[in-house]
């Protein structure tokens, strides 16, 4: 925490930053959020409160070069002394750094650090940086306090080199054609996702007792498809093994039209595509992601939509398939989409939202179709955020924890009408209704048609009062009531016995 205390002094004392060419700004927020739940955990009522401090200084040199870094402190730390610093709890006075899952959280961490600078043909951005596209179904920056309900906890961060440019400006400069002022952008990026995973990959199983029929098992001893290992087991040249590296190539085309003249009216139109190619040689993985996005605001009309598909093959999921020759080989066929149509005026915003995340009714076959939308694309407070998140967490344990929803839209189709009314300057009332339907029940997280007669996963109503004042202060009180059907086996996971649950949550935040 000493670093956080001295940061403002360092910014003021640095001779370089005192130069007129530099502009230093501070973004971020401090927030506390309290959670109260009723009937969610086997009819118990409980509550907790957690912190988050986010500081993001930006060092800007003449708008030609910038350096940005982000520090998260007390991120998710529950209020109070929860590690018995005081051996007698009733006399406790010094709080500790315990998270909601019971584990310890560090005082602070540098979450992101990157620089961006102008070059003659565009902008180059290098470092550990945020990634966001469209509505945030796939890549979600997760930085702001801006969701209709709930908070952003995860955020997409990548070690990346990215180049951004205006293609028509290039064709105009080099070949003399193309309107350089057109708001058409292109980007190309390279991500180094993994240098060496702490998983020893085999791709097949060996019993080590002489009964193995796979010739590759000879002399290898007993092992599973993959095995965890400790950092101390890495060789000194661990970084030189390229087969286990995971790379990602990113291609973006975006038209970003703002203030367009459409007759006597003004319109904003954004549309583009986001393509990702991800590879790992060791697990025979090569996956392509296609993500299209569009947003139109014209008169009082609003349309926004995003659709993605993930295609390719991998042997990197420790979930055996039915092919005895390649027991881990799976073909990815994943889809997801969200669309919004709405009406907005300066004081009213009414939106009909519908979305979909494909599920997988047989995770043990050769086709892999299930993946949740990004957890920072928040839909409601209970059904996805708490109930399905906890059930999927219990089902997908250990090496399969990447299949958890973490609160994102999971294996379902939903409709989500919501409205915001600003009845006084800075005072808004928000209301929403959520109804979800199963997509491809797997029999564990979501029960099948043979196990349940219910046609829906359940429904939820949400309401909130949000207040902003003094330019920097933010307060909200949010509440939800949900009834889930027996499609979700909540009682098997220590959750509600009758499918009913409620929550009341408050947030107080200071925004820098």
């Amino acid at each position: 925490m000493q670093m956080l205390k001295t940061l403002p002094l360092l910014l003021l004392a640095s001779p370089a930053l005192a130069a007129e060419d530099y502009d230093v700004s501070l973004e971020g927020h401090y927030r506390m959020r309290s959670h109260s739940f009723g009937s969610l955990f086997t009819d118990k009522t409980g509550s907790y409160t957690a912190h988050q401090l986010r500081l993001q200084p930006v060092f800007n040199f003449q708008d030609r070069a910038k350096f940005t870094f982000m520090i998260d402190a007390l991120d998710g730390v529950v209020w109070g002394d929860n590690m018995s610093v005081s051996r007698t709890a009733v006399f406790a006075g010094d709080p500790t750094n315990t998270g909601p899952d019971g584990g310890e959280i560090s005082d602070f961490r540098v979450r992101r650090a990157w620089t961006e600078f102008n070059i003659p043909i565009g902008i180059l951005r290098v470092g550990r940086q945020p990634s966001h596209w469209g509505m945030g179904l796939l890549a979600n920056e997760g930085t702001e306090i801006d969701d209709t309900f709930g908070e952003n906890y995860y955020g997409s961060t990548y070690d990346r080199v990215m180049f951004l440019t205006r293609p028509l400006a290039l064709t105009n400069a080099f070949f003399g054609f193309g309107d350089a002022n057109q708001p058409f952008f292109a980007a190309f990026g390279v991500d180094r996702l993994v240098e060496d995973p702490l998983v020893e990959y085999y791709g097949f199983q060996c019993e080590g007792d002489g009964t193995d029929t796979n010739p590759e098992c000879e002399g290898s001893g007993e092992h599973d498809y993959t095995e965890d290992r400790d950092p101390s087991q890495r060789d000194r040249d661990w970084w030189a093994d390229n087969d286990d590296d995971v790379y990602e190539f990113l291609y973006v085309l975006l038209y970003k039209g703002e203030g367009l003249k459409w007759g006597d009216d003004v319109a904003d139109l954004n549309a583009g595509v986001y393509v990702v190619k991800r590879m790992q040689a060791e697990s025979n993985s090569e996956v392509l992601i296609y993500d299209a996005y569009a947003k139109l605001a014209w008169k009082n009309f609003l349309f926004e939509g995003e659709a993605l598909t993930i295609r390719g093959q991998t042997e990197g999921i420790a979930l055996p398939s039915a092919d005895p020759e390649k027991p881990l080989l799976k073909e990815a066929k994943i889809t997801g989409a969200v669309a919004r149509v709405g009406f907005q005026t300066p004081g009213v915003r009414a939106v009909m939202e519908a979305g979909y995340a494909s599920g997988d009714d047989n995770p043990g076959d050769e086709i892999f179709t299930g993946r949740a939308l990004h957890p920072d694309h928040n839909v409601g407070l209970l059904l996805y955020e708490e109930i399905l998140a906890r059930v999927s967490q219990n089902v997908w344990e250990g090496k399969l924890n990447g299949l958890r929803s973490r609160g994102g839209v999971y294996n379902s189709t939903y409709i989500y009408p919501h409205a915001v009314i600003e009845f006084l300057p800075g005072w808004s009332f928000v209301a929403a209704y959520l109804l979800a339907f199963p997509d491809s029940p797997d029999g564990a997280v979501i029960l099948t048609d043979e196990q349940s007669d219910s046609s829906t996963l359940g429904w939820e109503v949400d309401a909130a009062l949000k207040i902003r004042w003094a330019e920097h202060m933010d307060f909200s009180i949010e509440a939800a009531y949900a009834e889930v059907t027996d499609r979700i086996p909540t009682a098997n996971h220590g959750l509600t016995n009758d499918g009913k649950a409620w929550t009341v949550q408050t947030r107080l935040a200071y925004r820098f």
Side-chain angles (χ1 to χ4, degrees), residues 8 25 76 217 268 340 411 429 457 474:
S25 60
C217 288
D268 294 335
R340 295 173 180 157
N411 195 356
F429 175 74
L457 297 178
D474 180 291

Side-chain angles (χ1 to χ4, degrees), residues 231-286:
S232 64
Q233 296 173 273
R234 285 176 168 153
D235 296 329
R236 292 184 179 181
D237 60 350
W238 59 271
W239 47 269
D241 180 7
N242 293 327
D243 283 348
D244 58 6
D245 296 354
V246 182
Y247 289 93
E248 183 173 271
F249 295 94
L250 178 68
Y251 311 88
V252 182
L253 290 174
L254 174 66
Y255 178 83
K256 189 175 178 64
E258 298 180 347
L260 303 176
K261 289 291 185 179
W262 286 15
D264 296 329
D265 298 301
V266 176
D268 294 335
L269 174 63
N270 296 342
V273 292
Y274 180 95
V275 179
V276 177
K277 183 177 183 179
R278 182 174 292 196
M279 300 170 292
Q280 184 187 34
E282 183 180 62
S283 63
N284 192 26
S285 298
E286 186 169 327

Side-chain angles (χ1 to χ4, degrees), residues 307-321:
L308 65 94
T309 183
I310 303 175
R311 302 286 166 143
Q313 68 174 27
T314 181
E315 296 179 36
I317 303 173
L319 191 64
S321 68

Side-chain angles (χ1 to χ4, degrees), residues 353-386:
E353 176 178 324
Y356 169 74
S358 63
D360 195 332
D361 58 2
N362 186 5
D365 65 10
E366 296 91 344
I367 308 299
F368 183 66
T369 57
R371 186 184 186 276
L373 302 184
H374 196 286
D376 284 340
H377 174 72
N378 290 314
V379 178
L381 290 172
L382 278 173
L383 181 59
Y384 290 120
E385 190 75 19
E386 299 292 341

Side-chain angles (χ1 to χ4, degrees), residues 375-452:
D376 284 340
H377 174 72
N378 290 314
V379 178
L381 290 172
L382 278 173
L383 181 59
Y384 290 120
E385 190 75 19
E386 299 292 341
I387 296 172
L388 274 172
R390 295 175 188 275
V391 174
S392 68
Q393 175 179 315
N394 293 341
V395 171
W396 301 118
E397 297 182 303
K399 298 171 186 175
L400 298 176
N401 60 14
L403 304 181
R404 297 170 176 173
S405 76
R406 298 189 300 165
V409 175
Y410 179 88
N411 195 356
S412 60
T413 301
Y414 73 88
I415 58 172
Y416 184 53
H418 52 274
V420 181
I421 301 174
E422 185 176 13
F423 56 92
L424 290 173
W427 290 64
S428 299
F429 175 74
V430 188
Y433 173 76
L434 170 64
L435 179 63
F437 305 86
D439 177 52
S440 299
D442 54 20
V445 180
I446 298 175
L447 300 187
T448 65
D449 294 343
E450 290 74 22
Q451 296 169 304
S452 170

